[in-house]
Amino acid sequence: SPVDQQIKIVAIDKYGNRSKEKIINIKVDVKNTKVVALEPLNPLKVKSEINSSSVALIIGIEKYENTPAAKYASLDAKYFTEYSKNIFGVSTKNIKLLTDEQANLSNTNSAIFKWLPSKIKKNQTDLIIFYSGHGLASSDGKSKYILPSNVDPDLLSRTALSRNEFFDQIISLKPKSVTIFFDTCYSGVSRDEEMLLASAKPLMIVAEEENELPENFTIFTASKPDQISSGLKEAKHGIFSYYLMKGLEGNADINKDLKITNGELLAYMDLNVSEKALDLGRQQNPLLFGNESKVILTLN
């Protein structure tokens, strides 16, 4: 019983003789359950050889000039940089990392429209993109934007980066493969449930589904269009980012064949992300756009 109560105890023998009733007081002593600490991230757990054909653009923005913070987003990006080096084998010279004030609109555009063209070799480069921070949909829900650190949400089309323009630029460069991780949502709500637009009604703007992308694109997103991408206080990371990186350490290798497919990574993240989000009273389910059977990582 979850509550204190009294019970009566009576002994009856095979002849039907009954003992006197005895009243017992039952006291329920509820003890706090010990919270199991999350396993720390370890980007050195898997070590891959340098892949000179790999390029990584990594952006993480926690501190915004004109909107609430995206808690832990900068740390997400810094950690993923180490995973890019050690697990995906990207050389330091082929990594561009932008965090917080560095990730303003000018620097972000420069990275996409100047740095990427200088690094991507047509039909040879494996491109990895990681973004942790705010996203926002246009008021009609038809366009999605990635928000740089100095965005003005009231001037979205002028001060933010259109996701479609971003993708069009990548497609025009013709890399061999593209793998994108977005720890963001487009609901207009921060990880701490603060509205990004002060004047907005307390209704989430749901962006429309993505246009059809080339077959060489793989995109993982942190949540469904009508969900919030949450932070994980005990890990000091976004829930999606934390389980993405734990999955890449080998935890997502469900069948233990030393290969992680897109489908395996999605299944691992969906199970763990949704469970942690429920602890916060939210729903969050990562999504995959791409081939579930494609091997994203071979473990040594």
Side-chain angles (χ1 to χ4, degrees):
S1 171
V3 295
D4 299 343
Q5 61 174 297
Q6 289 185 334
I7 60 171
K8 294 177 183 179
I9 296 179
V10 179
I12 305 174
D13 67 15
K14 65 181 180 180
Y15 303 109
N17 299 313
R18 299 168 63 93
S19 69
K20 290 183 180 179
E21 291 182 352
K22 188 172 178 71
I23 304 296
I24 302 291
N25 292 313
I26 303 295
K27 208 100 164 109
V28 178
D29 183 15
V30 179
K31 294 182 179 177
N32 290 330
T33 307
K34 211 172 188 178
V35 177
V36 179
L38 287 172
E39 185 182 343
L41 293 175
N42 181 11
L44 298 175
K45 192 170 183 179
V46 178
K47 189 73 176 175
S48 299
E49 294 181 3
I50 292 292
N51 181 356
S52 59
S53 298
S54 292
V55 170
L57 173 59
I58 301 166
I59 301 171
I61 311 168
E62 177 173 354
K63 299 173 184 175
Y64 282 84
E65 292 180 14
N66 304 305
T67 69
K71 198 171 281 186
Y72 317 126
S74 178
L75 197 60
D76 292 341
K78 289 172 183 175
Y79 263 80
F80 190 80
T81 300
E82 299 307 309
Y83 282 78
S84 297
K85 293 176 188 175
N86 295 300
I87 291 180
F88 288 111
V90 187
S91 64
T92 302
K93 68 178 182 179
N94 284 342
I95 295 175
K96 172 73 81 173
L97 170 64
L98 297 174
T99 59
D100 292 335
E101 65 274 2
Q102 297 172 340
N104 57 38
L105 181 60
S106 175
N107 288 343
T108 303
N109 277 328
S110 179
I112 294 167
F113 297 101
K114 288 174 66 178
W115 185 79
L116 282 181
S118 74
K119 290 291 182 179
I120 292 177
K121 295 180 181 177
K122 184 178 176 181
N123 299 323
Q124 296 180 42
T125 299
D126 296 309
L127 177 61
I128 298 167
I129 292 169
F130 176 89
Y131 174 77
S132 183
H134 290 320
L136 193 60
S138 58
S139 57
D140 60 5
K142 291 183 178 179
S143 301
K144 296 178 183 177
Y145 290 89
I146 296 165
L147 307 192
S149 61
N150 59 341
V151 68
D152 181 345
D154 290 312
L155 297 171
L156 201 58
S157 63
R158 293 181 179 274
T159 62
L161 178 70
S162 162
R163 219 168 88 142
N164 281 340
E165 287 182 15
F166 185 19
F167 289 165
D168 288 345
Q169 166 68 351
I170 294 170
I171 292 168
S172 73
L173 298 174
K174 293 184 168 51
K176 179 183 174 184
S177 70
V178 181
T179 305
I180 302 176
F181 305 101
F182 278 128
D183 193 348
T184 189
C185 62
Y186 302 89
S187 62
V189 180
S190 77
R191 290 178 176 181
D192 289 329
E193 297 193 54
E194 296 178 89
M195 299 300 296
L196 302 188
L197 275 166
S199 60
K201 295 178 182 178
L203 294 171
M204 293 194 296
I205 300 166
V206 179
E208 293 181 355
E209 292 301 322
E210 210 60 64
N211 293 334
E212 194 170 326
L213 293 167
E215 289 185 5
N216 65 340
F217 267 64
T218 298
I219 302 175
F220 288 91
T221 62
S223 58
K224 292 181 178 179
D226 60 345
Q227 296 174 341
I228 299 171
S229 177
S230 303
L232 189 55
K233 185 177 180 181
E234 57 263 49
K236 305 239 182 302
H237 285 285
I239 298 179
F240 172 83
S241 289
Y242 174 80
Y243 284 108
L244 163 64
M245 290 184 267
K246 290 308 292 182
L248 293 174
E249 289 178 18
N251 292 8
D253 182 17
I254 296 170
N255 61 4
K256 305 301 180 186
D257 64 351
L258 299 181
K259 294 177 182 178
I260 298 175
T261 65
N262 288 335
E264 282 180 312
L265 183 56
L266 178 67
Y268 170 78
M269 288 195 294
D270 189 38
L271 175 66
N272 289 282
V273 169
S274 61
E275 185 179 273
K276 280 295 178 185
L278 279 176
D279 290 344
L280 300 174
R282 299 178 182 176
Q283 288 187 316
Q284 184 177 339
N285 302 91
L287 293 176
L288 166 67
F289 299 88
N291 183 354
E292 289 192 5
S293 302
K294 182 182 177 183
V295 175
I296 190 172
L297 183 66
T298 300
L299 303 169
N300 294 327

